[in-house]
Amino acid sequence: MTMKTLAIHQVDAFTDRLFAGNPAAVVPLEEWLDEATMLAIAAENNLSETAFLVSAGEATWELRWFTPKIEVPLCGHATLATAFVLIEILSTTAETLTFRTRMVGDLTVTRNAGGWFEMRFPRRPENGAGPIEPVAAALGRRPDEVVEFATPGDTSWLAVYADEADVMGLEPDFRAIADLPPLNIVATAPGLSVDFVSRMFAPKAGIDEDPVTGSAHCSLVPYWAGRLGRQEFVARQVSARGGDLRCRLEGDTVVVAGQAVLYMSGKITVPA
């Protein structure tokens, strides 16, 4: 079998220190691999997401994201990791990076004066109330409300709790979560030292609990904007690794900002 070697970088996203935030793998390509190979690489990496990118012109790349089980419509932390690799490792000098995606259109990323990467994502529309009792059974604690946010192929239920301790104390039944209709369930509550906290569970996508989820904030930010009457937020995902985000709502755009650090750069060998 003919083999070829590819570069790979692993980045901890939504953190300024190693071994925190959400690790993502980034694989730059000269041309697309077949989908089965990309999914096999993602499964081998066994991270929440592996991002693959191919140059598409000046300061523009095509970008796709894979969990160990499926290709996903949108991934925030792996987009952040990709922007970090392009600027910090591959010496891209463009002020704005544009990523062409298959399911959510073009995304842009800029690095602000404070060194945070600002990603512009589409706001996920609210789709009414979701059922409380099945979520209570799956998460092990009854939320005050469940709100559904949906785009084609990507439905999320937002389970809202009274305080941060409720979210941190959840003991989810991942099999029960996987049996529910949405792709994922996000638990959230007001934070003690930040505006709101969250945790995200997506066993249906091969991720029992995602450490830090940029895309979840496409639902979280509109929800908290409506509840608090504000447009800018400091947020924290209170998983075991934890991660910090700065967010704001600009009409139909959710701006999610984070930091990142490099853990590893290396090579992988795959079938040619």
Side-chain angles (χ1 to χ4, degrees):
M1 179 182 295
T2 304
M3 308 296 285
K4 63 181 175 182
T5 300
L6 302 172
I8 188 169
H9 310 277
Q10 187 169 319
V11 174
D12 288 341
F14 292 117
T15 182
D16 61 357
R17 59 188 176 85
L18 283 172
F19 313 125
N22 199 352
V26 178
V27 182
L29 301 171
E30 294 183 0
E31 59 184 8
W32 286 112
L33 303 171
D34 65 86
E35 191 167 301
T37 298
M38 290 189 287
L39 187 58
I41 292 170
E44 187 80 5
N45 290 338
N46 199 32
L47 300 171
S48 296
E49 264 89 11
T50 296
F52 299 88
L53 68 153
V54 173
S55 178
E58 185 175 355
T60 303
W61 295 262
E62 295 181 7
L63 180 62
R64 297 172 71 178
W65 313 272
F66 290 79
T67 78
K69 287 181 66 174
I70 63 171
E71 183 174 7
V72 293
L74 175 63
C75 177
H77 86 281
T79 302
L80 171 55
T82 301
F84 177 90
V85 166
L86 286 168
I87 291 174
E88 293 291 338
I89 309 302
L90 303 180
S91 301
T92 300
T93 58
E95 291 185 5
T96 299
L97 311 179
T98 299
F99 297 115
R100 293 178 179 168
T101 76
R102 300 194 169 200
M103 304 183 204
V104 293
D106 287 1
L107 308 175
T108 60
V109 182
T110 58
R111 195 175 194 179
N112 67 26
W116 289 58
F117 292 85
E118 293 190 344
M119 302 174 287
R120 301 179 68 83
F121 293 151
R123 172 179 181 162
R124 186 176 288 124
E126 185 174 333
N127 195 36
I132 289 179
E133 298 309 325
V135 174
L139 295 184
R141 186 167 300 192
R142 193 178 195 277
D144 294 339
E145 63 175 327
V146 175
V147 184
E148 179 174 290
F149 288 81
T151 54
D154 187 8
T155 299
S156 178
W157 284 358
L158 198 66
V160 184
Y161 290 88
D163 56 51
E164 183 173 316
D166 290 332
V167 174
M168 295 187 69
L170 293 176
E171 296 182 359
D173 179 338
F174 298 117
R175 183 170 297 179
I177 293 172
D179 287 339
L180 294 175
L183 183 62
N184 59 68
I185 294 179
V186 180
T188 188
L192 295 174
S193 59
V194 296
D195 295 307
F196 62 85
V197 298
S198 65
R199 292 173 67 186
M200 201 282 275
F201 311 105
K204 194 175 291 185
I207 308 164
D208 284 348
E209 179 169 2
D210 196 36
V212 196
T213 317
S215 61
H217 290 73
C218 296
S219 305
L220 286 161
V221 170
Y223 172 82
W224 287 106
R227 177 164 164 175
L228 300 179
R230 294 166 41 202
Q231 306 300 306
E232 295 193 21
F233 308 92
V234 176
R236 181 163 178 81
Q237 201 151 327
V238 289
S239 63
R241 290 175 65 99
D244 300 303
L245 311 93
R246 296 176 183 172
C247 312
R248 66 180 183 271
L249 184 63
E250 297 181 355
D252 289 332
T253 298
V254 176
V255 181
V256 179
Q259 298 170 289
V261 293
L262 179 68
Y263 170 65
M264 178 271 290
S265 290
K267 302 287 185 181
I268 59 174
T269 304
V270 300

